[in-house]
């Protein structure tokens, strides 16, 4: 199978989380217009598309993107598929995630939402108790196939605060529509934004043994 690119393409007008900056890509220089090179201007938020959340995103004074250990973003990863809705709970985690798993990515019905072309508030997310379970079981990175791992307008944002407060890296905005559940190698490197609260990334899965 080789490498599977699970990254959303960044383009003007792409789906963003409600209230986040929209994406605008505009031409600044054009060879066709007599300029020496083609150059485009990018305007986007730090949590655009497929992206990584650093602890400081929801915990003021916590580590920034610079402090996220790169080895957490690369290595053996378990993709689990669940039909839980609207929330993934502790029982789902217990049934799907074996002891010792350090990196887990949830594949849900969310992967179909990318076809809509507009933000949906009715996405599958992780509940607060499951977030605590992930921390207690020493998961280092948790990913999901929509723009937030937490339910829309969740009061107090307990999922983000629980995970990020324990320095669990959050990976959001994955396109898992072509990915079967199983064990993979994750390769995920966010843009190196100094002091960043998060950043878009290129995320790849390599099937084990490929």
């Amino acid at each position: 199978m080789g490498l599977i690119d699970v990254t959303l393409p960044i383009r003007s007008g792409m789906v963003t989380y409600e209230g986040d900056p929209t994406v605008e890509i505009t031409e600044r220089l054009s060879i066709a217009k007599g300029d020496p090179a083609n150059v485009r201007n990018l305007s986007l938020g730090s949590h655009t598309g497929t992206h990584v959340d650093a602890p400081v995103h929801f915990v003021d004074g916590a580590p920034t993107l610079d402090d996220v250990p790169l080895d957490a973003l690369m290595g053996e990863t378990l993709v689990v598929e669940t039909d839980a809705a609207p929330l993934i709970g502790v029982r789902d985690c217990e049934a799907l995630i074996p002891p010792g798993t350090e990196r887990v990515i949830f594949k849900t019905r969310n992967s179909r939402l990318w076809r809509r072309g507009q933000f949906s508030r009715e996405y599958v997310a992780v509940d607060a108790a499951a977030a605590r379970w992930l921390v207690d079981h020493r998961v280092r990175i948790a990913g999901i196939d929509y723009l937030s791992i937490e339910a829309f307008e969740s009061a107090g944002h307990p999922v983000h605060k629980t995970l990020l407060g324990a320095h669990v890296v959050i990976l959001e905005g994955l396109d898992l529509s072509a990915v079967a559940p199983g064990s993979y190698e994750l390769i995920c490197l966010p843009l190196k934004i100094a002091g960043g609260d998060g950043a878009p990334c290129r995320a790849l899965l390599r099937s084990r043994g490929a």
Side-chain angles (χ1 to χ4, degrees), residues 62 64 89 109 139 150:
T64 66
R109 66 184 188 191
V139 169
E150 186 156 23

Side-chain angles (χ1 to χ4, degrees), residues 166-186:
H167 298 184
V168 177
V169 180
I170 297 175
L171 175 57
E172 298 168 323
L174 295 163
D175 180 3
L176 303 177
S177 54
V179 177
S183 180
Y184 295 85
E185 178 189 5
L186 172 67

Side-chain angles (χ1 to χ4, degrees), residues 148-178:
S148 179
I149 201 167
E150 186 156 23
F152 183 73
E153 292 189 331
S154 180
H157 308 288
V159 172
H160 277 89
K161 289 180 178 179
T162 296
L163 294 175
L164 296 177
H167 298 184
V168 177
V169 180
I170 297 175
L171 175 57
E172 298 168 323
L174 295 163
D175 180 3
L176 303 177
S177 54

Side-chain angles (χ1 to χ4, degrees), residues 7-159:
T7 314
L8 293 175
I10 293 178
R11 60 180 184 272
S12 292
M14 69 183 291
V15 177
T16 57
Y17 191 85
E18 188 172 309
D20 275 10
T22 57
V23 178
E24 296 181 14
I25 302 177
T26 54
E27 183 182 273
R28 292 298 302 272
L29 298 176
S30 170
I31 294 174
K33 294 180 179 178
D35 296 312
N38 292 314
V39 177
R40 291 189 291 175
N41 185 76
L42 308 180
S43 175
L44 66 163
S46 54
H47 299 268
T48 293
T50 307
H51 65 276
V52 167
D53 287 357
V56 75
H57 181 38
F58 271 94
V59 183
D60 206 24
T64 66
L65 198 60
D66 314 68
D67 304 308
V68 172
L70 294 180
D71 63 344
L73 300 168
M74 302 176 68
E76 184 173 358
T77 300
L78 183 65
V79 176
V80 297
E81 187 168 11
T82 176
D83 58 4
L87 293 172
I88 298 166
V90 169
R91 289 186 179 180
D92 303 301
C93 292
E94 291 174 339
L96 293 167
I97 305 172
T101 301
E102 290 191 344
R103 302 172 191 83
V104 63
I105 291 173
F106 294 100
K107 179 179 180 179
T108 73
R109 66 184 188 191
N110 291 341
S111 284
R112 299 194 294 268
L113 295 176
W114 299 124
R115 304 173 193 164
R116 291 189 179 184
Q118 60 184 17
F119 179 73
S120 173
R121 295 181 175 185
E122 290 76 39
Y123 57 85
V124 178
V126 170
D127 73 17
R132 172 48 56 188
W133 187 95
L134 293 171
V135 170
D136 292 343
H137 286 76
R138 300 185 179 181
V139 169
R140 300 182 70 192
I141 183 168
I144 199 162
D145 51 354
Y146 208 56
L147 293 169
S148 179
I149 201 167
E150 186 156 23
F152 183 73
E153 292 189 331
S154 180
H157 308 288
V159 172

